[in-house]
Amino acid sequence: MSNFLIPAAYAQSAGGGGSMSGIMSFLPFIAVFAIMYFLLIRPQQQRQKQLKSELKALRRGDRIVTAGGVIGVVQRSRDESAEVEVEIAPNVRVMVLRDTISTVLTSTAKPANDESAAKK
């Protein structure tokens, strides 16, 4: 039975390629990494950079969403402080860390259902 497998082993090593086959074997891995970089890593870095600039420009009246899903309106924000005072309900104010803010909905943003209210 083992004599049956020996010719197949010799056949696989026959016709050995040069150094070009070594480069060609790594080409799919390089292509997958390049695709992953441009589709996943780069857009995420751009979103993080944009959020960081929005957090620096945070001002009173901006609507925010925290990492916990709490939506509120900024009441007080100081550049040197890592805390922001946010009103989450009428007369209910809490202090949140800037790092926990996941989305900044600026006060100039139009709500999604604004058009239907204008037509009525």
Side-chain angles (χ1 to χ4, degrees), residues 58-87:
L58 203 61
R59 63 183 196 280
R60 186 171 194 256
D62 285 345
R63 293 183 65 206
I64 61 164
V65 179
T66 64
V70 177
I71 299 174
V73 178
V74 175
Q75 295 300 315
R76 188 174 64 194
S77 173
R78 285 182 281 178
D79 293 335
E80 67 274 356
S81 177
E83 297 175 343
V84 178
E85 186 175 332
V86 178
E87 185 174 29

mmCIF file of all heavy atoms in Angstrom, residues 58-87:
data_model
loop_
_atom_site.group_PDB
_atom_site.id
_atom_site.type_symbol
_atom_site.label_atom_id
_atom_site.label_comp_id
_atom_site.label_asym_id
_atom_site.label_seq_id
_atom_site.Cartn_x
_atom_site.Cartn_y
_atom_site.Cartn_z
ATOM 1 N N LEU A 58 -17.132 70.646 20.804
ATOM 2 C CA LEU A 58 -18.418 70.486 21.478
ATOM 3 C C LEU A 58 -18.828 71.795 22.133
ATOM 4 O O LEU A 58 -18.019 72.452 22.795
ATOM 5 C CB LEU A 58 -18.287 69.383 22.536
ATOM 6 C CG LEU A 58 -19.540 68.678 22.985
ATOM 7 C CD1 LEU A 58 -20.201 67.984 21.801
ATOM 8 C CD2 LEU A 58 -19.203 67.654 24.045
ATOM 9 N N ARG A 59 -20.095 72.194 21.936
ATOM 10 C CA ARG A 59 -20.567 73.458 22.503
ATOM 11 C C ARG A 59 -21.966 73.280 23.087
ATOM 12 O O ARG A 59 -22.606 72.250 22.873
ATOM 13 C CB ARG A 59 -20.564 74.551 21.449
ATOM 14 C CG ARG A 59 -21.498 74.315 20.291
ATOM 15 C CD ARG A 59 -21.375 75.426 19.243
ATOM 16 N NE ARG A 59 -22.497 75.420 18.346
ATOM 17 C CZ ARG A 59 -22.662 74.610 17.319
ATOM 18 N NH1 ARG A 59 -21.742 73.709 17.063
ATOM 19 N NH2 ARG A 59 -23.723 74.690 16.550
ATOM 20 N N ARG A 60 -22.417 74.269 23.766
ATOM 21 C CA ARG A 60 -23.725 74.223 24.417
ATOM 22 C C ARG A 60 -24.819 74.112 23.352
ATOM 23 O O ARG A 60 -24.807 74.805 22.341
ATOM 24 C CB ARG A 60 -23.942 75.499 25.239
ATOM 25 C CG ARG A 60 -25.191 75.463 26.058
ATOM 26 C CD ARG A 60 -25.211 76.657 26.999
ATOM 27 N NE ARG A 60 -26.227 76.449 28.007
ATOM 28 C CZ ARG A 60 -27.403 77.056 28.008
ATOM 29 N NH1 ARG A 60 -27.687 77.939 27.075
ATOM 30 N NH2 ARG A 60 -28.277 76.803 28.950
ATOM 31 N N GLY A 61 -25.776 73.230 23.588
ATOM 32 C CA GLY A 61 -26.879 73.045 22.664
ATOM 33 C C GLY A 61 -26.712 71.863 21.727
ATOM 34 O O GLY A 61 -27.659 71.468 21.060
ATOM 35 N N ASP A 62 -25.519 71.278 21.661
ATOM 36 C CA ASP A 62 -25.304 70.101 20.817
ATOM 37 C C ASP A 62 -25.963 68.885 21.447
ATOM 38 O O ASP A 62 -25.899 68.684 22.659
ATOM 39 C CB ASP A 62 -23.814 69.816 20.645
ATOM 40 C CG ASP A 62 -23.132 70.776 19.707
ATOM 41 O OD1 ASP A 62 -23.846 71.491 18.974
ATOM 42 O OD2 ASP A 62 -21.888 70.820 19.700
ATOM 43 N N ARG A 63 -26.602 68.078 20.619
ATOM 44 C CA ARG A 63 -27.178 66.822 21.088
ATOM 45 C C ARG A 63 -26.115 65.746 20.944
ATOM 46 O O ARG A 63 -25.406 65.694 19.932
ATOM 47 C CB ARG A 63 -28.408 66.450 20.271
ATOM 48 C CG ARG A 63 -29.551 67.412 20.497
ATOM 49 C CD ARG A 63 -30.788 67.006 19.758
ATOM 50 N NE ARG A 63 -31.264 65.734 20.328
ATOM 51 C CZ ARG A 63 -31.982 64.840 19.667
ATOM 52 N NH1 ARG A 63 -32.308 65.054 18.418
ATOM 53 N NH2 ARG A 63 -32.381 63.733 20.246
ATOM 54 N N ILE A 64 -26.017 64.883 21.950
ATOM 55 C CA ILE A 64 -25.004 63.835 21.943
ATOM 56 C C ILE A 64 -25.649 62.499 22.289
ATOM 57 O O ILE A 64 -26.743 62.442 22.840
ATOM 58 C CB ILE A 64 -23.868 64.132 22.941
ATOM 59 C CG1 ILE A 64 -24.415 64.209 24.367
ATOM 60 C CG2 ILE A 64 -23.116 65.384 22.565
ATOM 61 C CD1 ILE A 64 -23.349 64.112 25.420
ATOM 62 N N VAL A 65 -24.935 61.450 21.954
ATOM 63 C CA VAL A 65 -25.304 60.096 22.351
ATOM 64 C C VAL A 65 -24.097 59.502 23.049
ATOM 65 O O VAL A 65 -22.992 59.503 22.497
ATOM 66 C CB VAL A 65 -25.691 59.227 21.128
ATOM 67 C CG1 VAL A 65 -26.053 57.823 21.563
ATOM 68 C CG2 VAL A 65 -26.821 59.860 20.356
ATOM 69 N N THR A 66 -24.297 59.003 24.269
ATOM 70 C CA THR A 66 -23.191 58.392 25.001
ATOM 71 C C THR A 66 -23.036 56.939 24.579
ATOM 72 O O THR A 66 -23.879 56.379 23.886
ATOM 73 C CB THR A 66 -23.429 58.463 26.516
ATOM 74 O OG1 THR A 66 -24.585 57.681 26.834
ATOM 75 C CG2 THR A 66 -23.624 59.892 26.981
ATOM 76 N N ALA A 67 -21.957 56.334 25.022
ATOM 77 C CA ALA A 67 -21.699 54.935 24.693
ATOM 78 C C ALA A 67 -22.771 54.024 25.284
ATOM 79 O O ALA A 67 -23.031 52.949 24.755
ATOM 80 C CB ALA A 67 -20.318 54.517 25.191
ATOM 81 N N GLY A 68 -23.422 54.454 26.344
ATOM 82 C CA GLY A 68 -24.491 53.677 26.956
ATOM 83 C C GLY A 68 -25.830 53.862 26.281
ATOM 84 O O GLY A 68 -26.814 53.232 26.657
ATOM 85 N N GLY A 69 -25.907 54.757 25.301
ATOM 86 C CA GLY A 69 -27.145 54.980 24.573
ATOM 87 C C GLY A 69 -27.999 56.106 25.124
ATOM 88 O O GLY A 69 -29.135 56.283 24.691
ATOM 89 N N VAL A 70 -27.473 56.883 26.058
ATOM 90 C CA VAL A 70 -28.226 57.999 26.630
ATOM 91 C C VAL A 70 -28.093 59.203 25.700
ATOM 92 O O VAL A 70 -26.992 59.591 25.322
ATOM 93 C CB VAL A 70 -27.701 58.349 28.038
ATOM 94 C CG1 VAL A 70 -28.432 59.539 28.604
ATOM 95 C CG2 VAL A 70 -27.832 57.156 28.959
ATOM 96 N N ILE A 71 -29.238 59.780 25.334
ATOM 97 C CA ILE A 71 -29.248 60.962 24.470
ATOM 98 C C ILE A 71 -29.477 62.175 25.343
ATOM 99 O O ILE A 71 -30.340 62.172 26.216
ATOM 100 C CB ILE A 71 -30.363 60.857 23.415
ATOM 101 C CG1 ILE A 71 -30.131 59.635 22.530
ATOM 102 C CG2 ILE A 71 -30.430 62.126 22.575
ATOM 103 C CD1 ILE A 71 -31.244 59.364 21.569
ATOM 104 N N GLY A 72 -28.695 63.228 25.105
ATOM 105 C CA GLY A 72 -28.840 64.435 25.894
ATOM 106 C C GLY A 72 -28.369 65.654 25.147
ATOM 107 O O GLY A 72 -27.860 65.569 24.028
ATOM 108 N N VAL A 73 -28.540 66.803 25.805
ATOM 109 C CA VAL A 73 -28.134 68.088 25.245
ATOM 110 C C VAL A 73 -27.032 68.664 26.123
ATOM 111 O O VAL A 73 -27.164 68.704 27.353
ATOM 112 C CB VAL A 73 -29.338 69.059 25.179
ATOM 113 C CG1 VAL A 73 -28.910 70.405 24.636
ATOM 114 C CG2 VAL A 73 -30.448 68.470 24.341
ATOM 115 N N VAL A 74 -25.955 69.102 25.507
ATOM 116 C CA VAL A 74 -24.828 69.664 26.250
ATOM 117 C C VAL A 74 -25.251 70.983 26.874
ATOM 118 O O VAL A 74 -25.780 71.863 26.187
ATOM 119 C CB VAL A 74 -23.609 69.867 25.325
ATOM 120 C CG1 VAL A 74 -22.482 70.559 26.067
ATOM 121 C CG2 VAL A 74 -23.151 68.543 24.763
ATOM 122 N N GLN A 75 -25.022 71.120 28.173
ATOM 123 C CA GLN A 75 -25.324 72.354 28.879
ATOM 124 C C GLN A 75 -24.059 73.145 29.201
ATOM 125 O O GLN A 75 -24.074 74.367 29.189
ATOM 126 C CB GLN A 75 -26.087 72.052 30.178
ATOM 127 C CG GLN A 75 -27.453 71.447 29.943
ATOM 128 C CD GLN A 75 -28.353 72.349 29.143
ATOM 129 O OE1 GLN A 75 -28.443 73.547 29.379
ATOM 130 N NE2 GLN A 75 -29.022 71.772 28.152
ATOM 131 N N ARG A 76 -22.981 72.426 29.496
ATOM 132 C CA ARG A 76 -21.725 73.112 29.806
ATOM 133 C C ARG A 76 -20.561 72.234 29.378
ATOM 134 O O ARG A 76 -20.542 71.035 29.637
ATOM 135 C CB ARG A 76 -21.643 73.394 31.312
ATOM 136 C CG ARG A 76 -20.459 74.277 31.669
ATOM 137 C CD ARG A 76 -20.468 74.669 33.111
ATOM 138 N NE ARG A 76 -20.306 73.461 33.915
ATOM 139 C CZ ARG A 76 -20.529 73.406 35.218
ATOM 140 N NH1 ARG A 76 -20.951 74.462 35.861
ATOM 141 N NH2 ARG A 76 -20.354 72.284 35.875
ATOM 142 N N SER A 77 -19.610 72.859 28.717
ATOM 143 C CA SER A 77 -18.442 72.145 28.232
ATOM 144 C C SER A 77 -17.235 73.058 28.337
ATOM 145 O O SER A 77 -17.262 74.189 27.879
ATOM 146 C CB SER A 77 -18.649 71.724 26.776
ATOM 147 O OG SER A 77 -17.474 71.185 26.257
ATOM 148 N N ARG A 78 -16.194 72.548 28.964
ATOM 149 C CA ARG A 78 -14.941 73.305 29.060
ATOM 150 C C ARG A 78 -13.844 72.529 28.344
ATOM 151 O O ARG A 78 -13.786 71.307 28.437
ATOM 152 C CB ARG A 78 -14.562 73.514 30.521
ATOM 153 C CG ARG A 78 -15.432 74.571 31.197
ATOM 154 C CD ARG A 78 -14.992 74.777 32.592
ATOM 155 N NE ARG A 78 -15.573 73.647 33.358
ATOM 156 C CZ ARG A 78 -15.385 73.439 34.641
ATOM 157 N NH1 ARG A 78 -14.627 74.245 35.332
ATOM 158 N NH2 ARG A 78 -15.941 72.418 35.245
ATOM 159 N N ASP A 79 -13.000 73.244 27.608
ATOM 160 C CA ASP A 79 -11.949 72.596 26.830
ATOM 161 C C ASP A 79 -10.942 71.859 27.700
ATOM 162 O O ASP A 79 -10.477 70.788 27.349
ATOM 163 C CB ASP A 79 -11.208 73.618 25.963
ATOM 164 C CG ASP A 79 -12.103 74.181 24.871
ATOM 165 O OD1 ASP A 79 -13.060 73.477 24.494
ATOM 166 O OD2 ASP A 79 -11.851 75.307 24.426
ATOM 167 N N GLU A 80 -10.596 72.420 28.836
ATOM 168 C CA GLU A 80 -9.560 71.815 29.674
ATOM 169 C C GLU A 80 -10.084 70.658 30.517
ATOM 170 O O GLU A 80 -9.321 69.899 31.072
ATOM 171 C CB GLU A 80 -8.923 72.877 30.593
ATOM 172 C CG GLU A 80 -9.854 73.435 31.668
ATOM 173 C CD GLU A 80 -10.704 74.593 31.195
ATOM 174 O OE1 GLU A 80 -10.549 75.050 30.063
ATOM 175 O OE2 GLU A 80 -11.538 75.045 32.002
ATOM 176 N N SER A 81 -11.391 70.508 30.595
ATOM 177 C CA SER A 81 -11.988 69.468 31.424
ATOM 178 C C SER A 81 -12.352 68.242 30.570
ATOM 179 O O SER A 81 -12.722 68.363 29.407
ATOM 180 C CB SER A 81 -13.259 69.997 32.095
ATOM 181 O OG SER A 81 -13.879 68.976 32.834
ATOM 182 N N ALA A 82 -12.274 67.075 31.195
ATOM 183 C CA ALA A 82 -12.655 65.840 30.516
ATOM 184 C C ALA A 82 -14.132 65.528 30.739
ATOM 185 O O ALA A 82 -14.628 64.537 30.222
ATOM 186 C CB ALA A 82 -11.808 64.678 31.037
ATOM 187 N N GLU A 83 -14.821 66.389 31.498
ATOM 188 C CA GLU A 83 -16.229 66.172 31.796
ATOM 189 C C GLU A 83 -17.105 67.180 31.065
ATOM 190 O O GLU A 83 -16.702 68.308 30.814
ATOM 191 C CB GLU A 83 -16.475 66.293 33.298
ATOM 192 C CG GLU A 83 -15.738 65.258 34.115
ATOM 193 C CD GLU A 83 -15.913 65.486 35.602
ATOM 194 O OE1 GLU A 83 -16.319 66.590 36.000
ATOM 195 O OE2 GLU A 83 -15.623 64.552 36.355
ATOM 196 N N VAL A 84 -18.323 66.744 30.737
ATOM 197 C CA VAL A 84 -19.296 67.588 30.064
ATOM 198 C C VAL A 84 -20.610 67.454 30.823
ATOM 199 O O VAL A 84 -21.008 66.347 31.183
ATOM 200 C CB VAL A 84 -19.496 67.129 28.597
ATOM 201 C CG1 VAL A 84 -20.550 67.962 27.903
ATOM 202 C CG2 VAL A 84 -18.190 67.195 27.833
ATOM 203 N N GLU A 85 -21.263 68.578 31.072
ATOM 204 C CA GLU A 85 -22.560 68.535 31.728
ATOM 205 C C GLU A 85 -23.631 68.389 30.658
ATOM 206 O O GLU A 85 -23.715 69.177 29.721
ATOM 207 C CB GLU A 85 -22.802 69.807 32.536
ATOM 208 C CG GLU A 85 -24.067 69.755 33.355
ATOM 209 C CD GLU A 85 -24.239 70.976 34.241
ATOM 210 O OE1 GLU A 85 -23.222 71.575 34.634
ATOM 211 O OE2 GLU A 85 -25.389 71.327 34.533
ATOM 212 N N VAL A 86 -24.475 67.351 30.822
ATOM 213 C CA VAL A 86 -25.476 67.009 29.823
ATOM 214 C C VAL A 86 -26.845 66.943 30.485
ATOM 215 O O VAL A 86 -26.995 66.376 31.564
ATOM 216 C CB VAL A 86 -25.153 65.643 29.165
ATOM 217 C CG1 VAL A 86 -26.210 65.254 28.160
ATOM 218 C CG2 VAL A 86 -23.793 65.676 28.519
ATOM 219 N N GLU A 87 -27.841 67.540 29.816
ATOM 220 C CA GLU A 87 -29.216 67.466 30.309
ATOM 221 C C GLU A 87 -29.901 66.310 29.585
ATOM 222 O O GLU A 87 -30.070 66.341 28.363
ATOM 223 C CB GLU A 87 -29.956 68.776 30.056
ATOM 224 C CG GLU A 87 -31.342 68.795 30.650
ATOM 225 C CD GLU A 87 -32.012 70.151 30.512
ATOM 226 O OE1 GLU A 87 -31.694 70.858 29.539
ATOM 227 O OE2 GLU A 87 -32.831 70.483 31.368
#
